[in-house]
Amino acid sequence: MSIEKLKTIIIGSGPAGYTAAIYASRADLKPVLYTGMEPGGQLTTTTDVDNFPGYPNGIDGPKMMLELKEQAERFGTDVRIGEVTNVKLSSEINDFHEIVINNETKVHAKTVIISTGASAKYLGIESEQRLIGGGVSACAVCDGFFYKGQEVAIVGGGDTAAEEATYLSNICSKVTMLVRRDVMRASKAMQHRVNSRKNIVVRYNTEVEEVIGQSVVEGLKLINNKTNLTDTIPITGFFVAIGHKPNTDIFKGQLEMDDNGYIITDGKTTKTNLPGVFASGDVQDKEYRQAVTAAGTGCMAALDAERYLASIDS
Ligand code: NDP
């Protein structure tokens, strides 16, 4: 059987992937988009999205992703359920890249737009996993507003945790920040910001034993890892900010990445180190990680792909 040949393949179905698909299909690149294991991406784990421009009353995350999919399909994007399990990317200009779907089907594409996103890391304890969506969140900017005037906690000692603790302190009455070591990893400037907020309490050497609550978060059981003393605190929102993992395992050894596994793109473009391969969204952005910024870089990736195809055609 001959291998399907495409102009453009888009890997991933979050805001970056679907926005790339809208632009690529309107430019007649006839893109095929593979959704991956989590169609719709991280936003399908959120309820209300209140910060995406154009939705004055907010929108439900899964609904927004469905609408983005419909918009991409309206212009002819071929959206397929399937996971890219392997790739053989070429370093030759005008060559085809090989993409393997579900360990069996091979597809060849002149341009590849990688929008596989990143996954928030969680502590992994049973009570935390059970209460995701019931007061456990990995995104303060997305969900902090729901805890306006309430007491919340955030775990992590990096820049994200410090930044999100500060963000939450503007909204919530009290923020308890839980740091597992006796120091924070966050920059001094971020730490200073945290320490200058009267309603942030930092607890060092502290780990979460259990998130208390049946269907919604009611508190945390904490343990001091130096003294082994435990206590509980009442909270309604529990934010996890212990880092993200970009979904780049299948590209390792082929694309340039930073120490954390994020794909490196060239300057203000979405170009990777290989011709015809572009990266957009959280897979190449550890700083902003917003739906709207992901969508913006998805648009850029489609424009970069279009220009690349035009340049090899001429
Ligand atoms: P980091 O990996 O930098 O920090 C993760 C934090 O979570 C660390 O304090 C770590 O503790 C802690 N942690 C990890 N696992 C656990 C666990 N199981 N239980 C408790 N705590 C845990 O991730 P960030 O998301 O904070 O930052 C990622 C990158 O993005 C960094 O390079 C950062 O500088 C950058 N960034 C920059 C921003 C800015 O400049 N405005 C804003 C946000 C991020 P430990 O220290 O003990 O390992």
Side-chain angles (χ1 to χ4, degrees):
M1 212 172 70
S2 70
I3 295 179
E4 186 179 21
K5 302 251 185 285
L6 304 171
K7 278 189 192 171
T8 300
I9 191 165
I10 298 168
I11 311 174
S13 55
Y18 280 135
T19 306
I22 292 166
Y23 275 77
S25 47
R26 284 170 61 85
D28 207 25
L29 305 187
K30 304 197 169 17
V32 170
L33 179 150
Y34 280 95
T35 59
M37 291 288 274
E38 188 184 35
Q42 289 183 74
L43 276 186
T44 56
T45 63
T46 317
T47 46
D48 297 270
V49 179
D50 273 338
N51 54 9
F52 200 90
Y55 294 102
N57 301 314
I59 181 162
D60 178 66
K63 184 163 188 281
M64 179 175 153
M65 296 320 298
L66 217 56
E67 291 187 350
L68 270 172
K69 173 174 178 276
E70 283 171 14
Q71 193 175 355
E73 285 176 329
R74 178 154 78 93
F75 300 111
T77 303
D78 184 352
V79 178
R80 300 179 187 169
I81 307 281
E83 195 194 359
V84 172
T85 46
N86 197 5
V87 295
K88 227 183 272 167
L89 303 174
S90 172
S91 53
E92 302 290 322
I93 291 177
N94 201 7
D95 205 1
F96 279 105
H97 303 284
E98 185 169 284
I99 310 293
V100 182
I101 318 296
N102 298 335
N103 287 313
E104 50 182 41
T105 314
K106 284 182 183 162
V107 178
H108 284 176
K110 277 275 163 83
T111 58
V112 181
I113 296 177
I114 299 168
S115 313
T116 46
S119 308
K121 291 186 198 160
Y122 285 90
L123 298 174
I125 54 180
E126 186 278 327
S127 52
E128 169 209 51
Q129 293 297 302
R130 181 166 43 82
L131 288 164
I132 290 174
V136 173
S137 165
C139 179
V141 179
C142 318
D143 298 326
F145 185 76
F146 303 119
Y147 305 96
K148 196 171 179 183
Q150 301 173 34
E151 296 191 10
V152 299
I154 183 162
V155 60
D159 281 330
T160 302
E163 190 172 73
E164 296 200 340
T166 311
Y167 178 87
L168 289 167
S169 72
N170 291 327
I171 304 168
C172 305
S173 58
K174 181 180 173 188
V175 180
T176 304
M177 185 170 172
L178 308 164
V179 181
R180 67 178 174 183
R181 288 188 291 146
D182 55 3
V183 287
M184 276 191 221
R185 180 189 292 268
S187 67
K188 287 280 176 277
M190 294 292 236
Q191 292 190 37
H192 178 71
R193 242 182 266 172
V194 166
N195 292 330
S196 67
R197 294 295 168 110
K198 288 203 170 60
N199 62 342
I200 300 180
V201 175
V202 184
R203 289 184 57 168
Y204 291 97
N205 295 116
T206 304
E207 294 178 37
V208 178
E209 275 210 331
E210 188 190 341
V211 185
I212 302 165
Q214 276 310 310
S215 54
V216 292
V217 172
E218 291 166 11
L220 290 180
K221 184 172 176 201
L222 304 173
I223 182 163
N224 182 305
N225 57 26
K226 279 246 163 96
T227 61
N228 280 336
L229 289 174
T230 59
D231 69 331
T232 61
I233 57 167
I235 50 152
T236 50
F238 177 50
F239 292 88
V240 184
I242 60 171
H244 283 74
K245 185 184 178 302
N247 301 318
T248 52
D249 287 353
I250 52 172
F251 309 108
K252 287 218 163 98
Q254 302 189 56
L255 289 179
E256 279 178 8
M257 297 177 191
D258 70 9
D259 292 345
N260 299 315
Y262 287 85
I263 296 175
I264 295 173
T265 48
D266 183 13
K268 286 184 180 170
T269 76
T270 63
K271 293 175 190 168
T272 68
N273 58 306
L274 295 180
V277 182
F278 307 92
S280 62
D282 288 10
V283 77
Q284 51 85 58
D285 168 26
K286 65 182 176 208
E287 288 238 350
Y288 300 103
R289 294 198 304 257
Q290 299 304 300
V292 66
T293 50
T297 56
C299 158
M300 289 159 61
L303 295 177
D304 285 339
E306 189 189 351
R307 283 176 196 152
Y308 170 79
L309 287 167
S311 75
I312 58 177
D313 264 357
S314 58

